[in-house]
Amino acid sequence: MNWDNARYFLALARAGSLRAAAAQLEVDQATVGRRLQAFESELGSRLFLRTPQGYQLSESGRMLLADAERMESSADAFCRKAAESDRQLAGPVRIAATETVAQAFVLPALAQLSQRQPELEFTLLTGLSLSDVAAGEVDFAIRSRRPDKGELLVRKLATIEMSLYASRGYLARRGRPQAGESFAGHDLLMLRREAVPRHWQNLCGESIDQARIALQANSQFSLRQAALNGMGIAMLSCFIADGDAELERVWPERVDHVDMWMVLHPDVQKVTRVRAAVEAIAAAFQALG
């Protein structure tokens, strides 16, 4: 049974004519007549008597009227509850970000938001996959790669500066790499190729063809710690490395710019609790300057 046909049954019962029912439902008369015929066929019962004065409920129609009205009431309540759920600043919000972004921006923003809205419940997934938003695993994600396909909503948050860093001890032992020598004689600490494939072509405009890849990791914090331990040279976000007295920029004049994007599932763009988290995190990036 097509439950939506009950709406047409109720409209015609109240209006008494195809024209009036069609006006209420904002459809044409033929649609009302077709849906009524389909409803009667599904139920195996005639619901109206066609009279010169219009459509009058048959005995079966009168028996079913109260049930149809209860269906209408339940449907209205269902929609109100669903809408109210989307308007409430309470309930789950699912977010994906890299470990670096999560620690530097997302978690501080969520901590402040939680103090204002304690009924929000957050799930934070840290990783590098771009499929999590499209698949509905999370409501939105923070990524350094803009999706080039699909129906996802995309918002630019900031442009991050990255540069090359090494420990004072490493530079004392190995010296600084020479521009144009593709890091010959040096060890590099790299994010995994699938995370930032362009870094595997060059770092800050310098080819890495002659370097030894001493370490691969999926977190800048791991690379930062490895650099502090003297394992090699790492490309790090300036906002996490510039404040560390034990790290030096290898080439202070060279920076790499990375755009940060918020990727939002379109089904949740108007959900109040999701919007609250989106704006809180966006504000954290804006504070970066």
Side-chain angles (χ1 to χ4, degrees):
M1 172 180 162
N2 184 347
W3 296 103
D4 193 49
N5 286 336
R7 290 196 309 120
Y8 290 80
F9 165 67
L10 283 173
L12 188 54
R14 291 163 179 166
S17 71
L18 292 179
R19 171 181 284 185
Q24 286 183 18
L25 295 166
E26 298 183 343
V27 297
D28 56 48
Q29 295 183 48
T31 298
V32 178
R34 184 171 61 253
R35 296 294 288 268
L36 174 61
Q37 185 178 11
F39 200 35
E40 290 180 328
S41 176
E42 289 172 342
L43 297 175
S45 178
R46 182 175 290 275
L47 302 176
F48 289 92
L49 301 176
R50 283 71 167 173
T51 73
Q53 289 74 36
Y55 281 71
Q56 296 183 6
L57 286 169
S58 68
E59 183 177 351
S60 294
R62 287 193 298 272
M63 289 175 57
L64 295 173
L65 181 61
D67 292 319
E69 288 175 337
R70 282 193 290 271
M71 290 170 57
E72 179 185 52
S73 178
S74 295
D76 289 343
F78 183 91
C79 293
R80 284 196 304 273
K81 289 178 181 178
E84 182 63 26
S85 174
D86 282 353
R87 288 193 294 265
Q88 289 181 347
L89 276 166
V93 181
R94 302 163 301 161
I95 306 162
T98 64
E99 185 67 31
T100 305
V101 167
Q103 291 195 35
F105 298 101
V106 176
L107 289 173
L110 296 186
Q112 292 185 10
L113 182 57
S114 290
Q115 292 179 11
R116 301 193 302 270
Q117 305 296 340
E119 294 187 0
L120 290 172
E121 303 165 1
F122 301 106
T123 297
L124 177 60
L125 304 179
T126 55
L128 301 170
S129 172
L130 289 175
S131 63
D132 38 29
V133 180
E137 297 173 10
V138 296
D139 298 314
F140 66 94
I142 315 299
R143 294 289 179 240
S144 60
R145 280 189 286 168
R146 178 173 182 164
D148 56 4
K149 59 183 179 179
E151 301 299 323
L152 300 175
L153 303 178
V154 179
R155 172 180 177 180
K156 184 177 178 181
L157 294 173
T159 298
I160 300 297
E161 286 190 350
M162 301 185 73
S163 194
L164 294 166
Y165 295 84
S167 68
R168 296 178 183 276
Y170 177 91
L171 294 176
R173 294 194 316 273
R174 306 284 289 274
R176 296 180 187 271
Q178 298 299 306
E181 294 187 359
S182 302
F183 295 100
H186 283 276
D187 297 336
L188 293 181
L189 315 172
M190 303 286 291
L191 288 171
R192 297 178 64 187
R193 187 188 299 267
E194 59 267 29
V196 280
R198 64 190 182 87
H199 284 180
W200 286 74
Q201 300 173 10
N202 66 75
L203 295 174
C204 287
E206 186 76 16
S207 167
I208 67 170
D209 288 349
Q210 301 302 313
R212 185 179 82 92
I213 308 302
L215 175 70
Q216 297 183 49
N218 62 357
S219 165
Q220 283 195 52
F221 285 106
S222 295
L223 298 185
R224 173 179 170 274
Q225 190 59 48
L228 285 169
N229 290 337
M231 289 186 64
I233 299 169
M235 174 79 93
L236 300 172
S237 296
C238 298
F239 65 81
I240 67 171
D242 277 348
D244 199 317
E246 295 302 314
L247 292 177
E248 290 188 17
R249 286 201 193 192
V250 174
W251 292 322
E253 72 283 0
R254 292 197 189 187
V255 296
D256 189 64
H257 294 94
V258 179
D259 291 333
M260 300 302 299
W261 304 93
M262 180 174 289
V263 185
L264 182 69
H265 198 288
D267 289 348
V268 299
Q269 61 176 315
K270 295 183 180 179
V271 177
T272 300
R273 63 182 182 274
V274 175
R275 295 302 309 175
V278 164
E279 296 307 324
I281 294 170
F285 274 93
Q286 291 171 4
L288 187 63

